[in-house]
Amino acid sequence: MESSLQSAGLLEQMKIHLSTDAGKEVTNKIGLVYQLNIAPKKIGVDEEIFVVDLKQGKVTKGPYDGKPDATFSFTDKDFLSIATGKMNPQIAFIRGAMKIKGSISAAQKFTPDIFPKPSKL
Amino acid sequence: MAMRDLVTGGAACAVPGTAASSSNPFGALANAILGSSSKTQELKGLPGSAVNVPGPSSDFRTGAPLTTIPGLETEGQQHHQPVGQNYEFLAGFRTADHGVLADAWNEIHQPPALQTQGGKIEAQFQEFEQIYNRGANSMLPPAWDGPPQGVLSRFLHSFVDSGRAGVPFRPAALPVLGLSEGDKQCIRDRSFIMAHHIFADKSEEYINAQVNALLHSLDIDGNERLRGPIRGSYPELEEYWTESQGALRSGMPNPADKWVSEFARQRENGDPEAWAHSFEQLHGTNGWASEFEHEQSQLASVGQVRGANMSHIAAMEQSRMLAHTLAQNTDPKFQNSKFLQFVSKMSRGELIVDENQIKPATGSLTDNWADEYQAQYNAGSSTWADQFVHQDLPQGTDKWVNEFVKENQQQGVDDQWVNEFSKLHVQDWAEEFGQQVAEGALGDSTADDWANTYENFLDEQLLASKQHSGASRGVYVFSDMNPYVGHPNPLREGQELFRKGLLSEAVLALEAEVLKNPDNAEGWRLLGITHAENDDDQQAIAAMMRAQEVDPTNLEVLLALGVSHTNELEQPEALRYLYKWLQNHPKYGVLATPELADSPYYGDVARLFNEAAQMSPEDADVHIVLGVLYNLSRDYDKAIESFQTALNLKPRDYSLWNKLGATRANSIQSADAILAYQQALDLKPNYVRAWANMGISYANQGLYEESIRYYVRALAMNPKADNAWQYLRISLSCASRNDMFEACDSRNLDILQKEFPL
């Protein structure tokens, strides 16, 4: 995936992670489709859209063909904070750092533990 | 009137004054406040007080000071019914429920209790008088009964009356009142200020003349303190300001001091434990007094406001002066008193006297805003804040959301979201959430979680706001309490510690070194490496950038920067540094073309590096950089290859093993990764980064219990590794060890280590 966002790196890792056993676990557990609108600096501006499909277990770039269970909008940094557990998704929502559309119950399942962590060189 | 006394003068000026003295900041505060308000609405109470104003009020719209006098309460009430806004305001200060200071007084001598107006006032104020007199022994003639007081008060009354009547005041011969120097000074100051109030519409000369007449009668030399008004739109206020400034600069004038120390003395006699402790619980024992130092900057910014707010500023300034006065008494209970809290808020602009009411200013910075909110308002008007303080959140979302939005403007939160939120999201989200809860779609646990989360929210906010100073990229954050500062050769010490593997200690020693010699490139470099090994890339970057400033051609620094940026997923920066490495390399520099330096394109850089590798295949460093480069582009296989080549050349480089392991892990060969990490740890047992990476590898494989152990081990070596704390929390929740959340959140390593040994 060509992208200048930091999040892209993480999502790439997610992509390959989903093919592992652990990744398959996640797919079984959640089974939902999330669309992520990630903007470099400000929500809604110059967004890049990714789809984390936890039904089929893949990560793709570009809007979802169909209706995702939940759509999130955040900035690059905030998404990384959430994915690495620095920021609680609920708190992010309350602070307006994350916008949610779609099913709230689906959104509630969007937690840091579905993402693999990057190892440090 | 006793409170007015307090307001207008210190113990030495027990004479009932009818004007506030600017030398007493409190008085000046009162006047600044009063001077700015012109309505006759009844004042809402000050914190903790309910104002009960007795009797009818007749309208005195000028800034007429109080005309009742302590001890002569009955007499005062006959002559002058409590009148106007000012009296009410000051009555508020001293009513039976008692403004803050009276509270304190009362608490000393009896348990605080809500009382109504009436006979109680007198009793208490007589008590007050006694105490006052006791403390003021040295300054007053021992036999101090009615008459001189009465005489003086009547005399001052007539002065005021003359003002109202527009009749020039005539000097009168008075019996000896036994006024001390301090008394005189007080009276002098106060009279001057008061005269400005009363004769606001008259000319300056007239005012001076009146005051002089007054003072002359009292046998006071008023010349010293007379000053012309300062040009400006609010001459009175500015004058108070400069006078109080002058007073402050010349050292604490006696009256205020005396009062303050007396107050402290008195308070020690009593038993203010209960309220002091409860206050401490609410607000923490941190010296708010130190916050006053920051007022200046805040006030400066507030100072931009239009003239309409000048009065607020003046009030703030006055209260700041007052607070400064009071802050000089370092008795912690004193500092914690509600009164001081109130004053501190006034000075910070959090409270504004607006239309004779004390209101919290919007946009104020309040960490404990909920506590303050409760403290300011009568209990009835803010049930939610009550509930919050008692850890009992309502499940109804709308109410708190609305209140939250209205009341809380926290620092760092974009204002826009609040508006948006209040307009749009409240309904949408709250409705849906409500529906969901009603339908039971979420289940009970999640609703509770949400409530708990919100409770944690404010804690987090507190924590976050404290921790994030200087957390921006590139700004190195020094540790406080560094025992190595002052060490004769901290660099050598740091190197020793690093060799021994005591990474956190080495950090401290190296910080001491760079504090001493900010231009020591080696010090910064080693500091950066130590941080990286301690798994803190942020600090590593900051330190390395300093090193680079000092020595732009140091290859290790450039490589380290490239690595750290790679870890932080910042591809462009990482590329730039790795390219610089090439440029600055004595052998390969020739390969580097200058135009690429600014925005290196990955493909080109990779090609160049490959050329370099071909030039000298025995150079491990080239392969290492290549490996990092391939990691950037997620060409993991090639990266692994490069690292392995390098490892063949340098098998005992522990950081190389870690790189290999991390590359493997990122390419989801987690099992192999762990082997590599083991090798690294064999070479360097205190390699925090490797321990943390192990934890990550286990977690990514879903082996959460194992991962917890490794995280805990890493954290035991470096409790400051924030990443690891977060990962630990995630693993705990995945392993359903919610019982350990608290230990994790409070960073309690003992419990965690006991529970999860390796």
Side-chain angles (χ1 to χ4, degrees):
Chain A
M1 289 188 288
E2 275 302 323
S3 166
S4 56
L5 297 173
Q6 287 173 271
S7 309
L10 189 62
L11 289 168
E12 277 282 346
Q13 218 188 333
M14 177 76 162
K15 194 200 282 198
I16 41 184
H17 173 78
L18 284 173
S19 59
T20 65
D21 292 336
K24 300 217 172 78
E25 272 294 312
V26 172
T27 325
N28 293 337
K29 203 168 75 154
I30 304 205
L32 296 166
V33 178
Y34 293 118
Q35 178 168 312
L36 309 177
N37 302 346
I38 307 183
K41 291 268 165 62
K42 194 163 127 99
I43 297 186
V45 174
D46 284 338
E47 285 176 337
E48 295 188 23
I49 304 184
F50 300 89
V51 173
V52 177
D53 185 339
L54 295 175
K55 259 196 227 156
Q56 296 179 357
K58 57 183 191 183
V59 176
T60 48
K61 187 161 195 271
Y64 184 58
D65 195 11
K67 188 159 187 285
D69 292 305
T71 304
F72 300 92
S73 308
F74 20 40
T75 61
D76 202 11
K77 280 199 170 19
D78 288 338
F79 170 62
L80 279 176
S81 297
I82 295 176
T84 53
K86 279 199 185 61
M87 186 157 60
N88 186 312
Q90 285 155 342
I91 303 246
F93 175 71
I94 290 175
R95 292 179 59 196
M98 178 166 89
K99 299 209 196 292
I100 310 182
K101 280 205 204 113
S103 156
I104 283 276
S105 55
Q108 296 246 329
K109 298 205 183 138
F110 187 76
T111 51
D113 55 295
I114 60 181
F115 293 98
K117 312 288 169 289
S119 301
K120 309 275 181 178
L121 289 175
Chain B
M1 185 53 189
M3 202 46 66
R4 190 46 156 150
D5 257 2
L6 222 49
V7 168
T8 59
C13 299
V15 178
T18 50
S21 161
S22 62
S23 65
N24 182 317
F26 195 112
L29 164 68
N31 277 301
I33 293 169
L34 298 178
S36 68
S37 53
S38 60
K39 310 219 175 121
T40 52
Q41 293 174 17
E42 195 172 275
L43 274 181
K44 287 278 167 60
L46 297 168
S49 73
V51 178
N52 295 324
V53 181
S57 34
S58 50
D59 268 338
F60 281 175
R61 278 180 216 243
T62 61
L66 276 194
T67 52
T68 56
I69 287 144
L72 301 178
E73 188 83 13
T74 45
E75 184 184 323
Q77 279 172 351
Q78 285 161 17
H79 289 300
H80 305 277
Q81 289 298 328
V83 294
Q85 39 154 13
N86 302 305
Y87 177 84
E88 287 163 12
F89 169 72
L90 288 155
F93 265 129
R94 66 173 186 92
T95 53
D97 267 7
H98 304 288
V100 284
L101 212 48
D103 257 346
W105 279 106
N106 294 336
E107 280 155 359
I108 296 164
H109 300 283
Q110 62 209 45
L114 293 185
Q115 296 161 359
T116 53
Q117 288 276 359
K120 296 273 189 174
I121 305 178
E122 260 192 62
Q124 278 159 10
F125 281 104
Q126 266 155 25
E127 230 177 336
F128 184 98
E129 289 298 328
Q130 290 161 20
I131 298 151
Y132 222 45
N133 294 339
R134 247 184 284 139
N137 278 347
S138 52
M139 302 287 273
L140 292 175
W144 196 53
D145 47 359
Q149 195 180 1
V151 167
L152 186 60
S153 69
R154 276 187 283 272
F155 174 72
L156 292 167
H157 279 319
S158 57
F159 177 68
V160 173
D161 291 341
S162 77
R164 287 193 216 108
V167 173
F169 184 71
R170 272 184 214 87
L174 292 176
V176 173
L177 293 174
L179 297 172
S180 69
E181 258 322 297
D183 295 343
K184 290 184 182 177
Q185 189 180 345
C186 283
I187 298 176
R188 186 170 60 221
D189 297 336
R190 285 180 254 130
S191 316
F192 197 74
I193 301 303
M194 189 199 73
H196 272 279
H197 269 307
I198 300 174
F199 305 125
D201 52 339
K202 305 268 196 306
S203 69
E204 197 49 39
E205 295 76 32
Y206 185 76
I207 294 174
N208 288 343
Q210 295 299 307
V211 175
N212 278 334
L214 170 70
L215 298 178
H216 185 65
S217 312
L218 292 170
D219 199 24
I220 298 172
D221 177 10
N223 287 341
E224 299 160 22
R225 305 285 290 194
L226 285 180
R227 287 192 207 123
I230 294 155
R231 301 283 164 254
S233 51
Y234 292 85
E236 289 170 82
L237 302 175
E238 289 183 8
E239 190 158 1
Y240 305 153
W241 170 236
T242 48
E243 281 190 17
S244 58
Q245 279 283 38
L248 214 57
R249 260 185 245 116
S250 62
M252 210 26 63
N254 275 337
D257 235 356
K258 202 63 179 75
W259 170 73
V260 160
S261 48
E262 180 203 77
F263 182 69
R265 231 179 307 133
Q266 292 309 320
R267 289 188 53 259
E268 281 153 22
N269 293 341
D271 181 23
E273 294 303 329
W275 69 262
H277 282 153
S278 69
F279 185 93
E280 281 176 15
Q281 273 171 7
L282 283 184
H283 292 272
T285 52
N286 218 358
W288 57 263
S290 60
E291 293 178 31
F292 277 98
E293 309 318 312
H294 303 299
E295 303 308 21
Q296 292 295 359
S297 51
Q298 194 161 8
L299 284 173
S301 60
V302 176
Q304 315 277 338
V305 304
R306 302 177 303 282
N309 285 338
M310 253 297 277
S311 53
H312 295 165
I313 297 178
M316 277 164 61
E317 291 288 3
Q318 297 302 344
S319 49
R320 189 185 74 78
M321 303 309 305
L322 169 62
H324 183 73
T325 308
L326 300 176
Q328 299 201 340
N329 180 323
T330 53
D331 182 347
K333 292 177 193 159
F334 188 70
Q335 295 199 344
N336 278 342
S337 80
K338 285 182 189 165
F339 173 61
L340 299 184
Q341 169 85 353
F342 167 64
V343 170
S344 76
K345 289 208 196 70
M346 282 265 353
S347 65
R348 273 181 287 178
E350 288 173 21
L351 297 178
I352 301 177
V353 178
D354 185 17
E355 303 180 11
N356 281 339
Q357 299 179 359
I358 306 288
K359 289 182 185 168
T362 53
S364 63
L365 171 65
T366 58
D367 279 344
N368 298 316
W369 63 271
D371 297 321
E372 290 177 7
Y373 186 62
Q374 189 186 30
Q376 305 311 329
Y377 283 71
N378 292 333
S381 69
S382 112
T383 53
W384 175 77
D386 263 328
Q387 287 173 3
F388 177 75
V389 169
H390 294 122
Q391 304 289 312
D392 180 18
L393 285 178
Q395 291 295 326
T397 57
D398 291 317
K399 185 161 140 212
W400 79 259
V401 163
N402 286 331
E403 292 192 31
F404 180 77
V405 164
K406 266 187 295 194
E407 307 299 343
N408 189 16
Q409 303 270 0
Q410 293 204 3
Q411 191 183 40
V413 175
D414 191 0
D415 282 338
Q416 195 204 10
W417 82 262
V418 171
N419 296 333
E420 258 187 53
F421 195 69
S422 57
K423 274 185 286 197
L424 308 171
H425 290 249
V426 172
Q427 286 318 306
D428 296 348
W429 173 78
E431 268 175 19
E432 180 172 358
F433 186 80
Q435 279 170 11
Q436 300 263 357
V437 172
E439 294 164 13
L442 295 173
D444 288 332
S445 59
T446 50
D448 281 342
D449 278 341
W450 178 86
N452 288 334
T453 303
Y454 182 73
E455 285 180 25
N456 296 333
F457 172 43
L458 271 138
D459 293 338
E460 257 186 53
Q461 287 293 310
L462 269 175
L463 208 57
S465 60
K466 280 177 207 150
Q467 282 175 351
H468 285 176
S469 52
S472 55
R473 280 289 152 76
V475 178
Y476 189 82
V477 180
F478 284 95
S479 353
D480 13 297
M481 316 257 287
N482 188 339
Y484 292 96
V485 174
H487 194 280
N489 191 351
L491 179 61
R492 200 156 40 92
E493 187 71 19
Q495 287 166 331
E496 243 337 278
L497 291 166
F498 181 85
R499 236 193 311 274
K500 284 197 204 138
L502 297 168
L503 293 175
S504 301
E505 288 295 311
V507 165
L508 290 174
L510 291 169
E511 282 186 0
E513 170 65 29
V514 298
L515 279 171
K516 215 163 77 162
N517 311 325
D519 288 333
N520 185 337
E522 175 59 17
W524 283 113
R525 186 194 71 88
L526 198 52
L527 187 54
I529 293 192
T530 315
H531 274 300
E533 293 189 3
N534 234 6
D535 205 25
D536 189 342
D537 275 314
Q538 283 243 356
Q539 290 277 68
I541 290 178
M544 282 300 184
M545 286 185 62
R546 295 294 294 266
Q548 204 220 355
E549 275 171 36
V550 177
D551 182 0
T553 60
N554 187 319
L555 292 175
E556 287 174 21
V557 170
L558 293 169
L559 176 59
L561 276 168
V563 168
S564 287
H565 279 291
T566 307
N567 283 336
E568 296 276 305
L569 304 175
E570 284 162 357
Q571 204 188 45
E573 282 86 357
L575 258 182
R576 205 152 27 101
Y577 285 110
L578 294 177
Y579 189 73
K580 278 208 180 104
W581 185 93
L582 196 63
Q583 263 186 316
N584 285 302
H585 198 284
K587 245 204 313 188
Y588 314 119
V590 294
L591 293 174
T593 48
E595 55 266 16
L596 265 189
D598 291 324
S599 54
Y601 178 54
Y602 175 81
D604 292 334
V605 180
R607 186 175 39 87
L608 290 173
F609 268 101
N610 273 309
E611 280 180 32
Q614 277 158 18
M615 262 174 70
S616 42
E618 297 296 307
D619 188 351
D621 288 339
V622 176
H623 291 286
I624 296 178
V625 181
L626 251 184
V628 177
L629 214 51
Y630 283 130
N631 252 296
L632 264 185
S633 65
R634 288 178 278 277
D635 245 323
Y636 293 120
D637 293 328
K638 292 214 189 102
I640 293 175
E641 220 181 275
S642 298
F643 283 135
Q644 273 172 333
T645 317
L647 270 169
N648 285 337
L649 296 162
K650 268 186 172 182
R652 299 196 59 79
D653 185 343
Y654 56 82
S655 102
L656 210 38
W657 281 107
N658 178 57
K659 289 186 172 69
L660 179 62
T663 313
R664 287 214 142 106
N666 285 341
S667 63
I668 55 163
Q669 298 166 32
S670 295
D672 296 327
I674 291 178
L675 291 173
Y677 292 140
Q678 263 317 132
Q679 292 274 16
L681 284 169
D682 287 342
L683 290 165
K684 180 161 185 161
N686 282 28
Y687 196 5
V688 178
R689 172 151 279 179
W691 285 109
N693 275 342
M694 291 266 259
I696 292 176
S697 287
Y698 280 111
N700 283 352
Q701 288 178 77
L703 301 167
Y704 297 114
E705 289 83 6
E706 285 300 305
S707 74
I708 293 176
R709 291 175 210 283
Y710 286 95
Y711 286 139
V712 169
R713 174 60 79 89
L715 286 166
M717 293 180 199
N718 179 16
K720 284 201 208 162
D722 291 334
N723 279 355
W725 283 113
Q726 273 116 33
Y727 293 167
L728 175 62
R729 202 174 199 283
I730 296 177
S731 284
L732 281 173
S733 93
C734 291
S736 311
R737 288 304 304 263
N738 299 25
D739 53 320
M740 284 285 125
F741 270 171
E742 207 185 297
C744 180
D745 290 333
S746 57
R747 304 210 165 184
N748 187 333
L749 276 170
D750 293 324
I751 300 185
L752 291 167
Q753 275 184 296
K754 248 189 291 229
E755 190 66 22
F756 303 109
L758 252 182

